Amino acid sequence: MFPTKTDKARDELQGGQRTLSQRERALLLMADGRRSLTDFSPLFSNRVEAEQAIQALVQRGYLQAPQAAAAAAPAPAPAAAPARPAPIAAAEPIQVATTSADTFDGKRSLATTRMFLFDICERMFVRRDPKFALQMRDALREARDREAMLTIAALMLTEIEKTAGVERAESLRERIDKLLPPAEIIH
């Protein structure tokens, strides 16, 4: 089964509404019709737990089989040619900062935090667990709001804690705290 999100799942992932656990929300974020049960297994302690979680979300109306989604959706419109990016003007030279991430004194923002999480994903998972890295990158790209992004961050930190230890996970959590605006700090 390659589950996809329903409208109810999309509503759940919008800001302000949280009725599911972080793990269930992460599962919703990753459900795109291209991932199978084995792709969701790293979020759970075993494959049976992952299957039970998916079935529960299907029964509650958050997920559906891709065939059901195709039957419910109207035929897609023909795809337009992709837009070409505008060339970058060479008006001003780009200045590169030479300070480390620990002395970051820029604006605290969700975008900065998101880029840091992509960096963590590349450094911590690409070689050790490329499949998990791909899942986390895709999930971060699909995260449309702060809560969704922080759910993925929590999953990454949990996996880092398992593989690299509590101290490493805590140090990364502290860095994330420094990048996030005060109201958005992970705990």
Side-chain angles (χ1 to χ4, degrees), residues 8-27:
K8 184 176 180 179
R10 287 183 199 84
D11 291 342
E12 169 69 24
L13 295 172
Q14 293 300 316
Q17 183 178 347
R18 295 191 77 168
T19 59
L20 300 176
S21 69
Q22 285 187 340
R23 193 176 287 179
E24 289 171 322
R25 288 173 60 84
L27 210 152

Side-chain angles (χ1 to χ4, degrees), residues 117 120 125 152-162 165 168-170 172-173 176 186:
L117 291 171
I120 289 172
F125 303 117
I152 300 304
L155 287 169
M156 289 172 57
L157 289 170
T158 300
E159 192 63 28
I160 290 167
E161 193 171 298
K162 290 178 192 173
R168 180 69 173 142
E170 190 56 37
L172 291 172
R173 185 174 280 111
I176 292 168
I186 297 175

Side-chain angles (χ1 to χ4, degrees), residues 2-6 10 31-34 62-66 69:
F2 294 83
T4 60
K5 295 175 205 56
T6 63
R10 287 183 199 84
D32 60 2
R34 295 177 296 175
Y62 289 101
L63 294 176
Q64 62 187 358

Side-chain angles (χ1 to χ4, degrees), residues 121-176:
C121 187
E122 293 301 311
R123 293 172 188 252
M124 298 297 292
F125 303 117
V126 167
R127 290 188 186 156
R128 190 175 311 151
D129 191 350
K131 194 173 188 178
F132 184 76
L134 179 62
Q135 291 172 346
M136 293 300 102
R137 283 192 306 253
D138 288 348
L140 277 168
R141 283 186 198 106
E142 290 183 29
R144 300 288 183 236
D145 60 13
R146 179 177 62 87
E147 290 81 17
M149 187 187 73
L150 293 177
T151 298
I152 300 304
L155 287 169
M156 289 172 57
L157 289 170
T158 300
E159 192 63 28
I160 290 167
E161 193 171 298
K162 290 178 192 173
T163 59
V166 175
E167 289 179 18
R168 180 69 173 142
E170 190 56 37
S171 72
L172 291 172
R173 185 174 280 111
E174 288 172 9
R175 286 185 183 194
I176 292 168

